[in-house]
Each structure stands twice: as structure tokens, then as C-alpha cells.
Amino acid sequence: MAAMARRVREAPADPDLIDLGRNQFELSWRDFAIVDINHKLMRLAGEIAEAFALSAYDSVQLATAKTPHDGSGLEILFACLDKRLQKASAVMGMQTVNPD
């Protein structure tokens, strides 16, 4: 939702299209992997922040996406609009989706 709100602010588009995107996001929620925040995840986020010069929020987002990717058998698609975050996820071996 934050990415869609950012998109509206930075590159205003058709409001109906934005509403459609929000609705699709809500419908897709059941397909998302839910990852609990714990000490191990926060340590990984710190390492990611340091390695890629990311903000705390971005590094937690990337760490949570990376966690189930390791050994779960799940295919994780990492979607974001931030180019640096996309690059970091690709370097970490994740499949990245650019929603633009």
C-alpha cells in the first residue's frame, strides 16, 4: 500500500487504476508468505543494511523476503520500486519483480 501511495504522490495516475491495484493487493494477501520478526531476522537485516547501505526499513523488508527463500521450497518474488533495493535483492539471488 505504501508503494502505491508513493506512486500517486510521485507520478499521479488514474485514480480508478490505483483503486484497482489496491483491491488486487487485498485479494492477493492470502498468497503472501508471513514471516515472524525475531532476533535472527533482525541480525540479518543489520547485515544487509551494512552490506548494501540500505535503510533499516528496507533491510528488514529484504531480510523477511530472504528468510523463507532459504530452504523453504517457496518461490519468493521480491517486488519494489526502489532501484537500490532491487539491485540488493538480485545480488542476494532473489527473483525481483519491478511493478512499473
Side-chain angles (χ1 to χ4, degrees), residues 52-94:
F52 297 103
L54 296 174
S55 70
Y57 183 83
D58 285 347
S59 64
V60 169
Q61 181 182 359
L62 192 52
T64 57
K66 182 64 176 168
T67 298
H69 185 69
D70 290 337
S72 70
L74 294 174
E75 179 183 17
I76 303 296
L77 302 176
F78 187 77
C80 68
L81 297 173
D82 186 284
K83 300 295 184 200
R84 189 168 22 162
L85 197 49
Q86 288 173 2
K87 184 176 181 180
S89 66
V91 167
M92 292 177 66
M94 299 173 61

Side-chain angles (χ1 to χ4, degrees), residues 20-40:
L20 178 64
R22 287 182 178 136
N23 290 336
Q24 288 298 321
F25 180 82
E26 290 292 333
L27 291 173
S28 298
W29 187 253
R30 68 181 178 275
D31 298 325
F32 297 155
I34 306 300
V35 178
D36 291 327
I37 301 292
N38 57 38
H39 188 296
K40 182 179 175 182

